């Protein structure tokens, strides 16, 4: 019983943060290419290279005109799926590549910010735990006996 409550809390935490992140992606308009260039020029020094990489990566995602918005919709939708009991497993499965991507972004581009790295590691581990909790449901998909 206590384990089920723990997983409910973990689902709500991860789902809530994904919904928040998804909504947040629509709050700020995409910067113009000139504004991105001007901002990037300020960080075009070897000691600020990681900041420059973050700016260019996120700005590039926004400049596509679709990727940042699709990511926001996916975070919002999959976070909601995770929050609701009946759809939580499919939400956890769909969120796994997104939480992995968020973790890798922070690991490679913000490894000096230990707080963010710990937070994103925690989110990825929660997501993995939620998927592994349902191992018996998806185990048959991994191996089909060809002799049956």
């Amino acid at each position: 019983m206590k384990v089920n409550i723990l997983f409910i809390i973990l689902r709500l935490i991860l789902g809530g943060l994904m919904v928040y992140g998804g909504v947040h992606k629509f709050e700020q308009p995409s910067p113009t290419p000139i504004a991105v260039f001007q901002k990037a020029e300020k960080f075009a020094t070897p000691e600020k290279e990681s900041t420059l990489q973050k700016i260019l990566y996120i700005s590039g995602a926004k400049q596509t005109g679709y990727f940042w918005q699709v990511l926001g919709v996916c975070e919002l939708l999959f976070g909601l799926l995770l929050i609701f009991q009946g759809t939580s497993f499919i939400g956890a499965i769909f969120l796994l590549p997104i939480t992995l991507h968020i973790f890798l972004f922070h690991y490679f581009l913000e490894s000096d910010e230990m707080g963010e790295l710990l937070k994103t590691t925690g989110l990825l581990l929660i997501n993995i735990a939620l998927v592994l909790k349902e191992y018996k449901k998806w185990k048959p998909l991994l191996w089909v006996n060809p002799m049956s």
Side-chain angles (χ1 to χ4, degrees), residues 60-135:
K62 290 178 179 180
Q63 291 298 313
T64 64
Y66 73 92
F67 180 76
W68 197 249
Q69 293 80 6
V70 168
L71 182 61
V73 167
C74 288
E75 287 179 355
L76 183 61
L77 177 62
F78 302 157
L80 288 172
L81 287 173
L82 188 60
I83 289 171
F84 297 118
Q85 180 75 31
T87 58
S88 63
F89 176 61
I90 197 74
I93 291 285
F94 287 163
L95 272 176
L96 196 54
I98 293 173
T99 57
L100 176 62
H101 180 262
I102 292 168
F103 166 75
L104 291 173
F105 172 84
H106 288 280
Y107 181 76
F108 286 106
L109 297 178
E110 285 189 333
S111 57
D112 56 329
E113 294 187 30
M114 193 55 67
E116 286 293 316
L117 192 55
L118 288 173
K119 182 176 117 180
T120 58
T121 302
L123 294 177
L124 179 60
L125 291 176
I126 288 171
N127 202 168
I128 290 170
L130 292 171
V131 171
L132 290 178
K133 177 184 178 281
E134 306 295 341
Y135 176 72

Side-chain angles (χ1 to χ4, degrees), residues 36-37 40 51-63:
V36 172
F37 179 76
T51 304
L52 177 62
Q53 289 174 332
K54 289 185 290 191
I55 290 169
L56 294 176
Y57 182 83
I58 292 173
S59 298
K62 290 178 179 180
Q63 291 298 313

